[in-house]
Amino acid sequence: MSTTERMVTDQAALYEQFMARIERGEKIEATDWMPDEYRMLLLKFIQMHGVSEIMGAYPEKEWVPKAPTLRRKLGIMSKVQDEMGHGQLLLRVAEELGRPLGMNRDTMIEDIFDGRIKFHNVFHMPAPTWADAGVIGWLVDGAAIVSQAALLDTSYAPYARVLKRICAEESFHMQHGESIILSLAEGTKAQRQMLQDAVNRWWESLMFFFGPPEISESARKMMMYRIREKTNEELRQKFLSRYVPRIHSLGLTIPDPELHFDESTGQWHYTQPDWKRFGEIVRKNSGPMSQARIALRRQAHEGQAWVRQAMKRAAEIEAGG
């Protein structure tokens, strides 16, 4: 057997052992052998998750100076800080995966500016009123909890550990948003209308949040590797079951005449969002607020470069450099 043939045989044996571990439900650590395909699927998924957490802070950050009371201001400042922290935790996990490929957190953030990594569709949208800040916390973070809780048993151990903390904090964010929504729902006629307008504005984005109902090749492979176990449609159905009754209980309407629960199939029927338009918003960063928020992220990244350089130099000095 030639050296090349022996290497191919060794790789095949390693892959077989890896898949046996996945099928037994074992967790994979960063130092374990893993197929390149598994590494790349995870890397792209976690990087996008991390970047979305960071970009997700911007719509609510806009409301920090305009929050109606000091208590609300402190609440939303804390939430913005948490979202940035989630992004850093996730990018640290992604950085470890990407190290053999020469990737680090700096390059992962720079990928946003060059359009090499996408971020979630909802964070391309405007938040023109205080009710939008509430809807983001209540429904967008509620949707995020549905998605992230379904990943808690992911096969990649470092991601699962970070998600445990993120899900716990996201539940506080959802409650913060719910508190804003309840105040507005019990408020004046104008406040209730502001709330209804925000729900109307965000509903189609929320349906897009979970992705297309068809299972893509990438999603199929992620399910094969047990990176994820639920389909987009299963997650969307769970979100609808959890939140449609809550929205109606506040006397609010949902801007979808087709939305209803079919008892015979046990499924929600809904109007499909404009997949083409939303796909272009994410792929081309062409949403109403995409470029403005990317510009803010670039400004922050470049403005904080001296902090990163100082920390790097301090680490070198500590190591005797």
Side-chain angles (χ1 to χ4, degrees):
M1 183 182 290
S2 68
T3 303
T4 303
E5 288 171 333
R6 194 159 46 245
M7 286 175 64
V8 170
T9 304
D10 289 347
Q11 288 290 308
L14 285 169
Y15 184 81
E16 192 175 324
Q17 290 166 16
F18 176 85
M19 288 308 297
R21 291 186 64 193
I22 293 288
E23 285 159 16
R24 287 196 297 270
E26 292 182 22
K27 300 290 186 193
I28 307 301
E29 294 289 350
T31 50
D32 293 343
W33 185 90
M34 65 185 76
D36 290 343
E37 184 176 63
Y38 180 81
R39 182 186 299 277
M40 294 307 297
L41 285 167
L42 265 175
L43 179 56
K44 186 176 179 185
F45 191 67
I46 299 173
Q47 185 186 1
M48 183 177 173
H49 186 176
V51 163
S52 293
E53 293 277 355
I54 289 170
M55 298 305 291
Y58 284 88
E60 288 170 294
K61 174 179 174 293
E62 294 165 9
W63 278 96
V64 169
K66 299 181 286 186
T69 67
L70 178 59
R71 186 170 69 89
R72 293 298 190 197
K73 186 186 291 286
L74 291 172
I76 206 158
M77 281 174 66
S78 176
K79 182 175 185 294
V80 167
Q81 185 181 30
D82 282 352
E83 302 292 14
M84 288 293 184
H86 295 171
Q88 291 300 330
L89 284 171
L90 288 161
L91 290 184
R92 187 180 298 171
V93 174
E95 186 176 46
E96 204 163 27
L97 279 165
R99 190 166 291 129
L101 307 172
M103 296 174 70
N104 57 42
R105 266 181 282 177
D106 265 6
T107 60
M108 289 181 184
I109 289 292
E110 287 164 3
D111 283 348
I112 303 172
F113 313 142
D114 300 325
R116 289 194 296 268
I117 191 73
K118 311 304 177 194
F119 55 95
H120 214 290
N121 74 295
V122 287
F123 306 129
H124 295 258
M125 299 302 176
T129 71
W130 177 241
D132 291 77
V135 167
I136 292 171
W138 188 39
L139 297 180
V140 174
D141 284 327
I145 291 170
V146 169
S147 294
Q148 292 168 4
L151 290 165
L152 283 170
D153 198 31
T154 181
S155 59
Y156 189 57
Y159 190 33
R161 287 192 287 268
V162 166
L163 282 170
K164 193 173 178 181
R165 172 174 171 176
I166 291 175
C167 283
E169 292 183 348
E170 291 291 357
S171 69
F172 287 117
H173 300 169
M174 187 276 291
Q175 290 169 33
H176 175 252
E178 188 176 45
S179 169
I180 296 171
I181 294 298
L182 290 174
S183 293
L184 292 173
E186 293 169 352
T188 64
K189 186 177 177 183
Q191 287 171 325
R192 285 187 60 82
Q193 186 58 51
M194 182 170 68
L195 176 56
Q196 180 65 64
D197 291 344
V199 171
N200 294 348
R201 219 171 1 254
W202 285 89
W203 188 253
E204 193 179 26
S205 294
L206 285 162
M207 290 300 93
F208 187 80
F209 185 97
F210 299 95
E214 301 81 21
I215 298 177
S216 66
E217 180 60 16
S218 172
R220 187 191 66 73
K221 287 178 179 174
M222 290 179 74
M223 294 177 81
M224 179 185 79
Y225 287 124
R226 294 191 175 174
I227 294 171
R228 56 180 289 185
E229 295 188 302
K230 300 285 187 188
T231 66
N232 294 343
E233 193 56 33
E234 286 172 325
L235 297 172
R236 183 166 27 244
Q237 290 289 324
K238 187 169 185 177
F239 171 80
L240 290 169
S241 293
R242 182 174 293 178
Y243 283 97
V244 169
R246 296 185 192 185
I247 294 169
H248 285 159
S249 73
L250 296 176
L252 298 169
T253 59
I254 294 173
D256 181 359
E258 299 298 320
L259 182 69
H260 69 278
F261 186 73
D262 186 334
E263 296 284 353
S264 64
T265 61
Q267 297 284 302
W268 288 90
H269 289 260
Y270 57 90
T271 301
Q272 293 292 323
D274 185 341
W275 294 106
K276 183 179 178 186
R277 180 169 70 88
F278 278 99
E280 285 184 354
I281 285 173
V282 173
R283 283 195 302 275
K284 299 179 181 176
N285 288 326
S286 61
M289 295 301 292
S290 309
Q291 293 306 318
R293 289 184 182 142
I294 290 171
L296 279 173
R297 183 60 242 171
R298 182 193 292 274
Q299 185 182 29
H301 188 68
E302 292 173 355
Q304 294 158 4
W306 69 272
V307 178
R308 295 191 296 278
Q309 288 164 3
M311 291 178 70
K312 184 179 176 184
R313 181 60 189 144
E316 288 170 353
I317 291 170
E318 191 174 342

